Structures are given as C-alpha cells and as structure tokens.
C-alpha cells in the first residue's frame, strides 16, 4: 500500500542527486505517468538555494519553528536552508542515495519511510514540500497519514505542506469538468522515474485541492489554513494539530 524503503538499484532520483552532488552536473531524470506525456525534472533544481525557491517554499521555511522534520527531503535543500537560518532540522527520505548525500552535507538524515510506525518524535513543524502531499499517495491513506502525524508532532505542532488543485487539467473552457465523478479522485496520479539505466518502481502521488485537504484534516483533529496561493493552482497549507 505505502512506499517502502528503496534500494540503490531502484532509486533513480537518488542516483541523479548523487551524481549531481559528486560532479556538479547530471543526466536527465525522466518522469513517466500513464496520465501524461513524458516529463523531466531538472536535477539542478533539486539543489535549489533559498533565493532560488518558489515563494511558497520560502514562506514555509520562514514559518517553520522549533524542532523541524523535513519529510521526503531529497537532496536536503530545505534542511540546509533551515540550518542557515539557524533552525534545527532533521531529514528523512526512503531514498538511500539521497540520504547518503544529505549525510555528506552534514545533515542529520535518516532513511525512513514516513509511514513506518517505528519512527516517532515530538516535532513542532513537519515540512512536506514540492507537492509534499504526494507522499500520502491516495485519498484513502489520509487517515493513516494523520495518524502518523499525531505520533510525530508535539501537541499544537503543525504540518506545512504544498500541493496543487489539478482541476484545471480536466476543466473545459466553460468551466465544466470533464472528469468522471464516480471515478477515482482527479488528483491521484501514478508515476515512474528513470535516470540513465536506473528505473524505479511505479508509485502513487497525490495532488489535493485545499477544500478536500481541509475536510480530511478536520476529520482527524487538524485545523487547515491556506497560507498562500502560488502562481499556478498551487498553495501552501498549514495543518495544526489540536493535540487530541
Ligand atoms: N522535498 C525535496 C524532494 C522532493 S521529491 C525537494 O523539494 O526538493 C519527493 C521525495 O520524497 C523523494 O526524495 C522521495 O524519495 C521521498 N519519499 C517518497 N515517499 C516517501 C515516504 N513514504 N517517506 C519518506 N520519503 C518519501
């Protein structure tokens, strides 16, 4: 159901991150989805500095406080920026090669699946950035996700997460929806990645609109606020636990 830890042989993004870290350049990180045409993630952007980050991410880093957990941290760009701001951050990722790079950068990083119940903590802020809702995978995992958050947050702690409403992809010019309302939620996508000869397994990735996210948050004892909207149907949300 949930993603588990990757191994180096099926860790395309980690291989790309590791290559770029070692050589200052990398090949193409290709992204495939049954729903879309082939795409690419420029590997350099995974190493963005604070000034290169979109405003939503900068806002999240500015708001993050106390003990911070960066979930799905990748190259560790957000954790590094937080450290430069004098903040205390820990990073987790399922990618062994990304975790290795983060450790070389001096980051406190662990290879952990967010959904592994052995991992617990008392974090004040949990960061999930670059469509951070993706890690939830599917709407049906919302309950399990918020349950994990309760085991990782201090009471009154919060999650800062960015996502996008993909409705625009399915809307007709007159605003009517072309999607099948009885089908799966339109933000539930499936992806596979490839870097050089390294192919990853396919994984679920959730884009969630703010109203749907708030609905689930309130069901599980969290208050949702839209902090800021981005330029393209994206937004930053703060989900604060009521501590119960
Ligand atoms: N936050 C980083 C990387 C985003 S890519 C950035 O903004 O640049 C998403 C990352 O989430 C990948 O590194 C992937 O390995 C990691 N990931 C996916 N599922 C995860 C899970 N269940 N637990 C922890 N990390 C996960």
């Amino acid at each position: 159901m949930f993603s588990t830890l990757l191994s180096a042989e099926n860790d395309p993004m980690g291989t790309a991150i590791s290559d770029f870290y070692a050589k200052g350049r990398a090949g193409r990180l290709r992204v495939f989805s049954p729903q879309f045409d082939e795409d690419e993630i420029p590997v350099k952007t995974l190493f963005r500095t604070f000034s290169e980050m979109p405003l939503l991410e900068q806002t999240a880093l500015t708001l993050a406080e106390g003990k911070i957990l960066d979930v799905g941290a990748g190259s560790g760009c957000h954790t590094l920026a937080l450290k430069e701001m004098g903040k205390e951050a820990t990073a987790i990722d399922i990618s062994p090669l990304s975790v290795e790079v983060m450790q070389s950068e001096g980051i406190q990083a662990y290879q952990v699946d967010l959904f592994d119940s052995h991992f617990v903590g008392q974090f004040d802020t949990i960061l999930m950035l670059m469509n951070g809702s993706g890690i939830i995978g599917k709407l049906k995992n919302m309950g399990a996700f918020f349950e994990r958050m309760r085991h990782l947050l201090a009471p009154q702690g919060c999650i800062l997460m960015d996502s996008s409403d993909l409705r625009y992809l399915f809307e007709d010019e007159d605003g009517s929806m072309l999607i099948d309302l009885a089908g799966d939620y339109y933000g539930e996508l499936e992806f596979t990645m490839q870097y050089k000869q390294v192919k990853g397994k396919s994984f679920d990735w959730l884009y969630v609109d703010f109203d749907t996210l708030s609905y689930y948050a309130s069901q599980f004892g969290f208050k949702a606020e839209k902090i800021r909207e981005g330029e393209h149907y994206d937004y930053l949300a703060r989900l604060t636990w009521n501590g119960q």
Side-chain angles (χ1 to χ4, degrees), residues 52-163:
E52 294 165 342
M53 287 173 192
L55 189 56
L56 291 185
E57 294 184 5
Q58 293 179 341
T59 308
L61 296 181
T62 307
L63 291 174
E65 56 179 28
K67 269 186 76 183
I68 304 164
L69 178 67
D70 184 2
V71 175
S75 79
C77 59
H78 298 112
T79 308
L80 280 180
L82 288 167
K83 281 179 76 174
E84 278 180 24
M85 294 160 90
K87 301 187 184 191
E88 184 193 338
T90 303
I92 60 169
D93 205 292
I94 54 172
S95 152
L97 296 169
S98 301
V99 169
E100 213 175 272
V101 165
M102 288 194 274
Q103 289 171 345
S104 312
E105 287 169 327
I107 292 175
Q108 216 184 345
Y110 303 97
Q111 193 193 4
V112 168
D113 182 336
L114 177 67
F115 287 98
D116 178 353
S117 56
H118 296 101
F119 180 63
V120 289
Q122 282 267 309
F123 294 95
D124 300 295
T125 307
I126 296 186
L127 273 189
M128 298 179 72
L129 295 178
M130 195 172 157
N131 191 57
S133 64
I135 290 176
I136 303 167
K138 286 192 180 274
L139 282 187
K140 70 170 165 52
N141 301 337
M142 280 289 185
F145 167 70
F146 282 110
E147 189 55 31
R148 289 297 300 136
M149 292 294 111
R150 292 159 185 271
H151 286 100
L152 288 169
L153 282 170
Q156 319 301 330
C158 73
I159 308 161
L160 292 167
M161 172 194 282
D162 62 348
S163 195

Side-chain angles (χ1 to χ4, degrees), residues 142-227:
M142 280 289 185
F145 167 70
F146 282 110
E147 189 55 31
R148 289 297 300 136
M149 292 294 111
R150 292 159 185 271
H151 286 100
L152 288 169
L153 282 170
Q156 319 301 330
C158 73
I159 308 161
L160 292 167
M161 172 194 282
D162 62 348
S163 195
S164 291
D165 184 353
L166 293 193
R167 168 178 289 262
Y168 68 93
L169 292 174
F170 307 100
E171 234 167 31
D172 218 347
E173 276 165 17
D174 64 2
S176 61
M177 293 286 274
L178 300 172
I179 55 174
D180 172 9
L181 290 173
D184 292 336
Y185 174 63
Y186 61 83
E188 293 181 338
L189 302 190
E190 192 187 317
F191 289 113
T192 318
M193 293 198 280
Q194 181 173 351
Y195 178 75
K196 295 183 175 167
Q197 296 312 310
V198 184
K199 286 185 188 160
K201 295 189 178 133
S202 83
F203 57 92
D204 296 324
W205 197 249
L206 177 70
Y207 291 81
V208 63
D209 66 278
F210 180 73
D211 288 345
T212 303
L213 179 63
S214 323
Y215 166 77
Y216 282 99
S218 66
Q219 297 284 304
F220 297 104
F222 284 74
K223 180 184 76 178
E225 298 160 271
K226 191 191 271 185
I227 300 287

Side-chain angles (χ1 to χ4, degrees), residues 37-57:
D37 291 339
E38 182 179 337
D39 203 356
E40 219 176 289
I41 300 179
V43 181
K44 190 178 185 311
T45 64
L46 296 173
F47 286 82
R48 58 203 180 280
T49 60
F50 185 86
S51 62
E52 294 165 342
M53 287 173 192
L55 189 56
L56 291 185
E57 294 184 5

